[in-house]
Amino acid sequence: MNAQELLKLLELVQCGKLTPAKAIERLKHLPFEDLDFAKVDHHRTLRQGFAEVIFGKGKTPEQIAKIVRAMLAKKDSKHNILITRTDAKTFSAVKRAARKESRLAKFHPLSGVIAIERDTKIVGKGTILVVSAGTSDIPVAEEAVVTAEMMGNEVQHFYDVGVAGIHRLLANREALTKARVVIVCAGMEGALPSVVGGLVGVPVIAVPTSIGYGASFKGMAALLGMLNSCASNVSVVNIDNGFGAGCVARENDRG
Amino acid sequence: MNAQELLKLLELVQCGKLTPAKAIERLKHLPFEDLDFAKVDHHRTLRQGFAEVIFGKGKTPEQIAKIVRAMLAKKDSKHNILITRTDAKTFSAVKRAARKESRLAKFHPLSGVIAIERDTKIVGKGTILVVSAGTSDIPVAEEAVVTAEMMGNEVQHFYDVGVAGIHRLLANREALTKARVVIVCAGMEGALPSVVGGLVGVPVIAVPTSIGYGASFKGMAALLGMLNSCASNVSVVNIDNGFGAGCVARENDRG
Amino acid sequence: MNAQELLKLLELVQCGKLTPAKAIERLKHLPFEDLDFAKVDHHRTLRQGFAEVIFGKGKTPEQIAKIVRAMLAKKDSKHNILITRTDAKTFSAVKRAARKESRLAKFHPLSGVIAIERDTKIVGKGTILVVSAGTSDIPVAEEAVVTAEMMGNEVQHFYDVGVAGIHRLLANREALTKARVVIVCAGMEGALPSVVGGLVGVPVIAVPTSIGYGASFKGMAALLGMLNSCASNVSVVNIDNGFGAGCVARENDRG
Amino acid sequence: MNAQELLKLLELVQCGKLTPAKAIERLKHLPFEDLDFAKVDHHRTLRQGFAEVIFGKGKTPEQIAKIVRAMLAKKDSKHNILITRTDAKTFSAVKRAARKESRLAKFHPLSGVIAIERDTKIVGKGTILVVSAGTSDIPVAEEAVVTAEMMGNEVQHFYDVGVAGIHRLLANREALTKARVVIVCAGMEGALPSVVGGLVGVPVIAVPTSIGYGASFKGMAALLGMLNSCASNVSVVNIDNGFGAGCVARENDRG
Amino acid sequence: MNAQELLKLLELVQCGKLTPAKAIERLKHLPFEDLDFAKVDHHRTLRQGFAEVIFGKGKTPEQIAKIVRAMLAKKDSKHNILITRTDAKTFSAVKRAARKESRLAKFHPLSGVIAIERDTKIVGKGTILVVSAGTSDIPVAEEAVVTAEMMGNEVQHFYDVGVAGIHRLLANREALTKARVVIVCAGMEGALPSVVGGLVGVPVIAVPTSIGYGASFKGMAALLGMLNSCASNVSVVNIDNGFGAGCVARENDRG
Amino acid sequence: MNAQELLKLLELVQCGKLTPAKAIERLKHLPFEDLDFAKVDHHRTLRQGFAEVIFGKGKTPEQIAKIVRAMLAKKDSKHNILITRTDAKTFSAVKRAARKESRLAKFHPLSGVIAIERDTKIVGKGTILVVSAGTSDIPVAEEAVVTAEMMGNEVQHFYDVGVAGIHRLLANREALTKARVVIVCAGMEGALPSVVGGLVGVPVIAVPTSIGYGASFKGMAALLGMLNSCASNVSVVNIDNGFGAGCVARENDRG
Amino acid sequence: MNAQELLKLLELVQCGKLTPAKAIERLKHLPFEDLDFAKVDHHRTLRQGFAEVIFGKGKTPEQIAKIVRAMLAKKDSKHNILITRTDAKTFSAVKRAARKESRLAKFHPLSGVIAIERDTKIVGKGTILVVSAGTSDIPVAEEAVVTAEMMGNEVQHFYDVGVAGIHRLLANREALTKARVVIVCAGMEGALPSVVGGLVGVPVIAVPTSIGYGASFKGMAALLGMLNSCASNVSVVNIDNGFGAGCVARENDRG
Amino acid sequence: MNAQELLKLLELVQCGKLTPAKAIERLKHLPFEDLDFAKVDHHRTLRQGFAEVIFGKGKTPEQIAKIVRAMLAKKDSKHNILITRTDAKTFSAVKRAARKESRLAKFHPLSGVIAIERDTKIVGKGTILVVSAGTSDIPVAEEAVVTAEMMGNEVQHFYDVGVAGIHRLLANREALTKARVVIVCAGMEGALPSVVGGLVGVPVIAVPTSIGYGASFKGMAALLGMLNSCASNVSVVNIDNGFGAGCVARENDRG
């Protein structure tokens, strides 16, 4: 181990067997990044705070169950566990793996998210509002909602408030203006974030969804629309990236 | 001339020098499309009604002046004349060419449109409303306004009513709902037609503009947004095609 | 209810318990959009006139049947019901749900449209003509036809009249010139709307279809072709959007 | 004025000349959005806080000078004024327009930003760090820096710390981890935000720049890279949109 | 029938019941395109010469069998029949439909082409040479080969002579230079037509294939390469369009 | 010289100084391609027949004049000389360089082509017809016309016969059907080649032009349209490549 | 055989039956490329050195087994055999085909590579290091690893060292700097090659992978990122082309 | 300075004022990257070996001259200096700045490269061959040539050996097969690297150039072609990136 190597080196200095100058020479060639590794890891843990995350897509139910079991085995921490892009079959495997804590595991079928909420403390300072333009955007919105909740935020949501029926959005303006961060999920023309951005004075995180057909080009139209938003408080994440939006909102709400 | 050839042929039939059966044989080889040409031309004139149009781009001031002079020389008709995508220098040339009618010629510097309004009769049945999202979209909107006016329509316009300040649009909703056709010009994210489409019960003609930068890709983002509009009464013309929007609106308003 | 809240507030003013100035203060914080909601809704109903529409894609037969049952239960209105992008299995479920009105339900297998025609009144002023370039474009054309019919329009159609056999189109020119609006569905090079646009003096609504292979890029080639049409009375809707074309045509024909 | 109209209406109710029911009828037809307009405007002012913004591109020096003069004439507020995408000639015009306050006007030649700082109060809670990958990205970074400063934030910046010399970034990690928001401007492959996102536990706002050539496609490569960032705290604004990044960062830092 | 209508009209002229001038008036309103229709049809038959073509994709075996049966039933002509993009199941149906001529039907499994060769006369003047870059391009090449053969051409082919082993192509140069038209099918980088174009003095018809992966973008890379060919005798058809190449080559070889 | 080297080697074999086996060894290492070079060159000369071609773009007037002087100096051949993409200034330099033959040099200002016609023999077997959709496409069409003429073909042209006025094309159908090859130049939606392809039974060479704006994407829309042509006798060359079309047509017409 | 033909010809010269001049004439018409073929083939064998390669995709297990059997039957060479993009079923068939050598055959399920290692000699001069950004990139990385190994190279690999956790990469810098060539496989934003390129002084071969979703566009984002790398020692191969990277690295390492 | 801080810390350990364990604690918080910085820098110098590079584009002649003066002032090293993408005016400024060494400065006008060759030692092991497809690709090829030369390599070049005249390439095959690395620059269809890759057994570095027009899309067609090369020893750099190709080749040739 590097820390041990370093200790040895310092003990050689302490007992006079190595001059400080020569120690510096040796230190330059030490793989010091390993120390760095530890430090960053520590940062990671601090940062991710309430949740450990598994990207489920491309992993078998067994693989996911195994990772979950290892996470739950850690004694010293009671982090929430979030598994994205998964399915009912994986949920069964996860429940079995969770044993005593299996009743904490919850499956969100629209988004395919599994959440094991072991710590319900709220660490965010305000409310994160998740808005979806259509009912088809709800899976992405739900991924954002659960992500933000599992990371210790108060989350509220309004679904199906798209721009072609602008009154539905306006009817909820009070809630909009009270939110600390707004996540807006929209496919097709992706116009909703601009409208929301004009109504609120907080960060708006836009999530283009792959909803649509023809010239929507699997979310490309919505993505371009959001990047060109005429509202100056809008930033954008990848197509269908509800998880990313939840994370960015969390960072915003922690500050 | 073909009509004359045809006349001769028929006279041959009349005077018995040609049997009907043989006449049919000959008719099959006549360039009958020339008749067709005339007929369509006639249609064209009827259809274009009040305006003759010159696409100015790529033509010299002299060329345009020459065409205008020829148009004005036609005795039997007093059509309006519309010249798109031109400039002040061309306007001078056109004024000189217009002679007695020079005071009818008017130059719209933002859009580069020259209009010679010789017939002010209104043939449209309602009002065409032209809406622009930003002040930068006005040149395109103006091209639409002048086109529709020159073709005999009542035209009204609201500029700078983009979606990031939705209240500005809502403040004019009464006028919106009274229009018979609405043209909406917008660059950047191109979201305005969807919002307008949700507020009115008439055709909305969306014109993407090349306004924006970066990922607007010279109007591509706005174009895709409009094609994916979640409002079902929206159809789209080419980027910056204010003239086309004016023509389509005219057709709608004539019906 | 908001109207009631407002009534109370005004009664307080009336009976002197609230000064007008204070009432204004309160009014500013009323969720006035709810009034707006109602008004817009009313507009919606008026506007959609004869048809209520369900976008079938992504919904289960059961979900659709449930919505249909609710629609049919409304006593005060006899709207037509249109369900797009669905299948035979859903049609069975819808028929069961429709009970007494089940014989009104009709399934169009090419386009996957289900139509329940409860009101056969014609409200359009003329004929909407739907033209398709090839036989493969018929599903999209059929969606347009049924949409326009269900919304109270007289609809006629010509299929398989593509530009590589221009005589087939010309042979039907009489019908073309009599239509009040023409919808043109074409895949591959998407050239038909330009040709039609040059033959008629009414609005042409172009629908690119995803028919083709290779460099057709799922309708992109046809879409670009239509947007660049050299005919000035052509506007465009999304790829395969027969429903949208039907709606836009309806608006045009209502005027 | 609408508030006055409303007042009159309520006074009519108060004095018994109008029943509450009839008042409701009238209210429904009031252009209530005008009230809304005022309220939103009020919000805008509150929100934009320290700065009024002019998008300089496409405006003449005279037009900009005129707007600035009007802004400075408002007695009741001492907002900062920010003019983006402008040049030295405009700066001269603005200085003349600013008269007594001309010495407060400052021109940033790389980004073309003019700033008139009339209020130096800091309202942000922490430090916004602006990082650029190369020296060519500095104009965009500078736009972000000045925007954030003019809106009342403490701003720090590191330039030329791109990923091909990762040690330059690591050398400044202490500052990185202390920032409350990090703005990262990068062209070419746009990889820097991912690296920064992995090092910090705060929101990272990625700004793709149009720096590069060939397959950079004017910022498209950088934009796609940033949208696909494997770091979960990264969101993205439009290509070269330093102003937008400054605004989003401001919102984050205010919370 | 129109010819009959025309005959009647001419008879009216002949017998003096209609003046030639009035006949012209009436003729202008005749649907003369129907005559045209016949004429063009006649052209079509002449032109397509030896083959009638069915585009099999999207048609059921039964539909295709029915069309084939109708074609074979025509007494006066013994055209070849070509069915593209089909499968073994359709072939069985076609064989049953072909009855006495079933032994003439042949199925090409790689390309999915069915050919019923009823007339083996050669009408082309030279040899059409079909070249493929890789073995994976053979299905497209085969479609071209069978198409050209069925239309009365002498066809030769060289497969798997791609540019990364240029000696394989050079080894066959004698045959190359003897061909009257060369069809070159290539996927991936699509470089082969340029090399062939430089070696021969006859038209080269390039067919990009969708062979490849990653940045081949389903034939887009090959297509762009061929369009930018530095050889001046190369023209291009759609991706995977072996049939089109066969047709174009046929036209070239007929001249 | 290689032929000489080879001669020497064979003479060594003849006089017994080298065994055939050893000669083979040496031959394997001879740069035999040089022979090949000559042979191909010879082919080139034969093939290009009547014209030597200079691509003018990016070359100075002096460079072009120098090349022309060298070409004219060759005693044994009287080839035509074709210089594409050039200007009036270059034409002056070329005229000076041409001296005695200067009166043969002709400049085509629309296309920027300089032609020195020293041999007016016709070698093509039929007529090449060049058709343009709009007047703006004429420069590209002219490049095709002059190229084909200079290579010894009879060329005819029809300009401004686009699809939105299909009667203009039909009026010239007789000429169309008489051509041996048809070149069709069109920008915007690029629909003309399909219509022409359906009217004629000869090869149609489609040239997309960069004419248009907005979603024409500098010829991309026209290019895609032509590649997806529903007429089976259409092949395509690069955007604005009138020269290439002329060459391909020449090959077709020589056969 | 050509060499024999040539020998005969030379013997004719030797015995005086053919003059050297006439021999030259005949030589010009010899298919000399066949000699060339042999020579190139010889080069190929020398070059490919230790491995014969089969691209498995699109081939049946039986076809592959047959090719393998033929390869193993060659007595004079003991090349390694590499089969890419295949599966377990094919592996069974290959094992049966390999008979005595079946125990040498090994299947790599992640990448679908089958390797038959018959010659374990190391011919590369250093170590090829294969690095992957994420665990999902491992299949592509594995294809590169096995390819390089089967061609006689020492290969080392580090997986899951992406840029969002830069410390993981830095921790392995010693190994990085010792490698003679580095292959870097990364999807999503494709940033890793730039970072690696900045840390090492040897060629970096970047392999974009199709890993990601939304705006990753199946590896396009990673590909563009790598092409725009700010590190000057990075070159790129096709998306998912681990085999190509292994080959290029091999060439680099042989030198 | 950090090294000094470290020295102090070690001295404290040496003199017993700090235990090794506590020293480790402090070391963890040292900005150790600064050490790293130095080390990497050292690496950089070693690595870049013979040349220091300035990317000239976007820098004024004065700025470049100033950087050059500073480079020349360094006493301890005699590196070559390479300035890319510059012009004659800058060259004058550089010559003045170079003073005594001004005669070493050389300007390459086609590529805009300035080279100051102060060290002519060859460190590469073989010859780098630079090949260009057309004369228009020479500027990019020249940038590669000068870059490789200035970094201590033997460089040879063949220009204008494109695939449409394959014999020109074959005529130089001997030189091709002797090179240790081949750089191939090609625009238009970008086919040359595949052909070269099939002829040689060394790494081929492909450089797409922006030469071409229409569907070449400024090098995109060439880029895609090269990425899809069917030759397995080809890797690719950015469009027009001759400098990058020179660097990669240098790394290859150093090994």
Side-chain angles (χ1 to χ4, degrees), chain A residues 164 170 189 191 194 198 215-216 225 228 230, chain B residues 164 170 189 191 194 198 215-216 225 228 230:
Chain A
L170 296 178
E189 78 268 66
S194 291
S216 85
N228 286 287
C230 49
Chain B
L170 297 178
E189 77 266 66
S194 291
S216 85
N228 286 287
C230 48

Side-chain angles (χ1 to χ4, degrees), chain G residues 4-251:
Chain G
Q4 291 178 330
E5 284 184 53
L6 185 56
L7 192 64
K8 277 184 200 159
L9 187 143
L10 288 168
E11 284 166 354
L12 290 176
V13 173
Q14 189 184 33
C15 64
K17 289 188 177 155
L18 197 71
T19 66
K22 281 190 174 163
I24 283 177
E25 267 320 288
R26 284 211 200 162
L27 275 170
K28 275 189 181 161
H29 296 92
L30 261 188
F32 55 81
E33 288 84 1
D34 284 351
L35 295 175
D36 185 40
F37 190 175
K39 189 160 55 172
V40 171
D41 241 16
H42 186 57
H43 274 174
R44 290 233 135 190
T45 313
L46 283 177
R47 203 166 73 226
Q48 300 227 347
F50 282 56
E52 293 193 87
V53 182
I54 306 165
F55 186 67
K57 195 180 160 192
K59 299 204 179 71
T60 64
E62 290 68 37
Q63 288 175 318
I64 292 175
K66 198 173 156 190
I67 302 173
V68 167
R69 212 172 298 125
M71 285 175 170
L72 294 172
K74 284 192 234 161
K75 280 281 145 69
D76 53 341
S77 73
K78 282 276 184 194
H79 290 142
N80 291 334
I81 295 171
L82 183 71
I83 315 163
T84 63
R85 314 233 164 165
T86 181
D87 53 26
K89 203 173 155 195
T90 301
F91 181 52
S92 305
V94 166
K95 283 203 84 156
R96 276 191 303 276
R99 296 187 187 185
K100 287 186 302 184
E101 295 181 281
S102 71
R103 92 210 124 69
L104 297 176
K106 200 171 151 193
F107 181 53
H108 300 264
L110 284 177
S111 55
V113 169
I114 298 170
I116 309 180
E117 191 169 17
R118 306 161 82 202
D119 184 340
T120 58
K121 197 166 24 166
I122 293 295
V123 295
K125 294 187 174 168
T127 300
I128 293 173
L129 180 61
V130 179
V131 173
S132 92
T135 52
S136 314
D137 304 313
I138 293 177
V140 176
E142 192 183 85
E143 192 180 283
V145 166
V146 180
T147 298
E149 280 174 353
M150 292 296 284
M151 288 177 172
N153 293 80
E154 197 93 44
V155 185
Q156 197 180 350
H157 63 82
F158 295 137
Y159 292 161
D160 198 18
V161 292
V163 294
I166 199 71
H167 59 283
R168 290 175 294 179
L169 183 68
L170 297 179
N172 292 305
R173 195 158 54 185
E174 195 134 16
L176 270 176
T177 52
K178 277 182 184 161
R180 197 153 180 281
V181 191
V182 186
I183 294 171
V184 184
C185 305
M188 301 176 78
E189 77 266 67
L192 190 56
S194 291
V195 175
V196 171
L199 294 174
V200 304
V202 295
V204 172
I205 300 154
V207 193
T209 73
S210 55
I211 293 307
Y213 61 90
S216 85
F217 297 121
K218 307 199 170 167
M220 186 64 172
L223 170 60
L224 290 180
M226 291 169 180
L227 285 167
N228 286 287
S229 174
C230 49
S232 64
N233 48 349
V234 173
S235 64
V236 187
V237 297
N238 196 359
I239 297 164
D240 290 338
N241 190 6
F243 167 70
C247 291
V248 173
R250 206 276 303 241
E251 301 296 352

Side-chain angles (χ1 to χ4, degrees), chain C residues 2-240:
Chain C
N2 288 304
Q4 291 178 331
E5 282 184 55
L6 185 56
L7 193 62
K8 276 184 201 161
L9 187 143
L10 290 168
E11 284 166 355
L12 290 177
V13 173
Q14 190 184 33
C15 66
K17 286 190 179 156
L18 198 72
T19 66
K22 280 190 176 164
I24 284 177
E25 268 319 288
R26 284 210 200 163
L27 274 171
K28 274 187 182 164
H29 297 94
L30 261 189
F32 55 80
E33 289 82 1
D34 284 351
L35 295 175
D36 187 40
F37 190 173
K39 188 161 57 172
V40 171
D41 239 18
H42 186 58
H43 274 173
R44 289 234 134 189
T45 313
L46 284 178
R47 203 164 75 224
Q48 300 227 349
F50 281 57
E52 293 193 86
V53 182
I54 306 166
F55 186 66
K57 196 180 160 191
K59 298 204 178 71
T60 64
E62 291 68 36
Q63 289 175 318
I64 292 174
K66 198 174 154 189
I67 302 173
V68 168
R69 212 172 300 126
M71 284 174 169
L72 293 172
K74 285 193 234 159
K75 282 279 144 69
D76 52 342
S77 74
K78 283 276 183 193
H79 290 142
N80 293 333
I81 294 172
L82 183 71
I83 315 165
T84 63
R85 313 234 165 164
T86 180
D87 54 26
K89 204 175 153 194
T90 300
F91 181 52
S92 306
V94 165
K95 283 204 83 156
R96 277 192 302 276
R99 298 187 185 187
K100 287 186 302 186
E101 296 181 281
S102 71
R103 88 208 130 68
L104 299 175
K106 200 171 151 193
F107 180 54
H108 300 265
L110 285 177
S111 55
V113 168
I114 299 170
I116 309 181
E117 192 170 16
R118 306 161 81 202
D119 184 340
T120 58
K121 197 166 27 171
I122 293 296
V123 295
K125 294 186 174 170
T127 301
I128 293 174
L129 180 62
V130 179
V131 174
S132 92
T135 52
S136 314
D137 303 313
I138 294 177
V140 176
E142 192 183 85
E143 192 181 282
V145 166
V146 181
T147 298
E149 281 174 351
M150 292 296 285
M151 289 179 171
N153 294 80
E154 196 93 43
V155 185
Q156 197 181 350
H157 63 83
F158 295 137
Y159 292 160
D160 197 19
V161 292
V163 295
I166 199 70
H167 59 283
R168 290 174 294 179
L169 183 69
L170 296 178
N172 292 304
R173 194 157 54 185
E174 196 133 16
L176 269 177
T177 52
K178 278 183 183 160
R180 195 151 181 281
V181 191
V182 186
I183 292 172
V184 185
C185 305
M188 299 177 79
E189 77 267 66
L192 191 57
S194 292
V195 176
V196 172
L199 294 174
V200 303
V202 294
V204 172
I205 299 155
V207 193
T209 73
S210 54
I211 293 306
Y213 63 89
S216 84
F217 297 120
K218 306 197 171 170
M220 186 65 172
L223 170 60
L224 290 180
M226 292 168 179
L227 285 167
N228 286 287
S229 175
C230 49
S232 63
N233 49 348
V234 173
S235 63
V236 187
V237 297
N238 197 0
I239 297 163
D240 290 337

Side-chain angles (χ1 to χ4, degrees), chain B residues 9-83:
Chain B
L9 188 142
L10 290 168
E11 285 166 355
L12 289 176
V13 173
Q14 190 183 32
C15 65
K17 288 189 178 156
L18 197 72
T19 66
K22 281 191 175 164
I24 284 178
E25 267 320 288
R26 283 210 200 164
L27 274 170
K28 274 187 180 164
H29 296 93
L30 261 189
F32 54 81
E33 288 83 0
D34 284 351
L35 295 175
D36 186 39
F37 191 173
K39 189 162 54 171
V40 171
D41 240 18
H42 186 58
H43 274 174
R44 289 232 136 191
T45 314
L46 283 178
R47 204 165 73 224
Q48 299 228 347
F50 282 56
E52 292 192 87
V53 182
I54 306 165
F55 186 67
K57 195 179 161 192
K59 298 202 178 74
T60 65
E62 292 66 39
Q63 290 175 317
I64 292 174
K66 198 173 155 190
I67 302 173
V68 167
R69 211 172 299 126
M71 284 175 169
L72 293 172
K74 285 193 234 159
K75 280 281 145 67
D76 53 342
S77 73
K78 283 276 184 194
H79 290 141
N80 291 334
I81 295 171
L82 183 70
I83 315 163

Side-chain angles (χ1 to χ4, degrees), chain F residues 218-231:
Chain F
K218 306 198 171 167
M220 186 65 173
L223 171 60
L224 290 180
M226 292 169 178
L227 285 167
N228 286 287
S229 174
C230 49

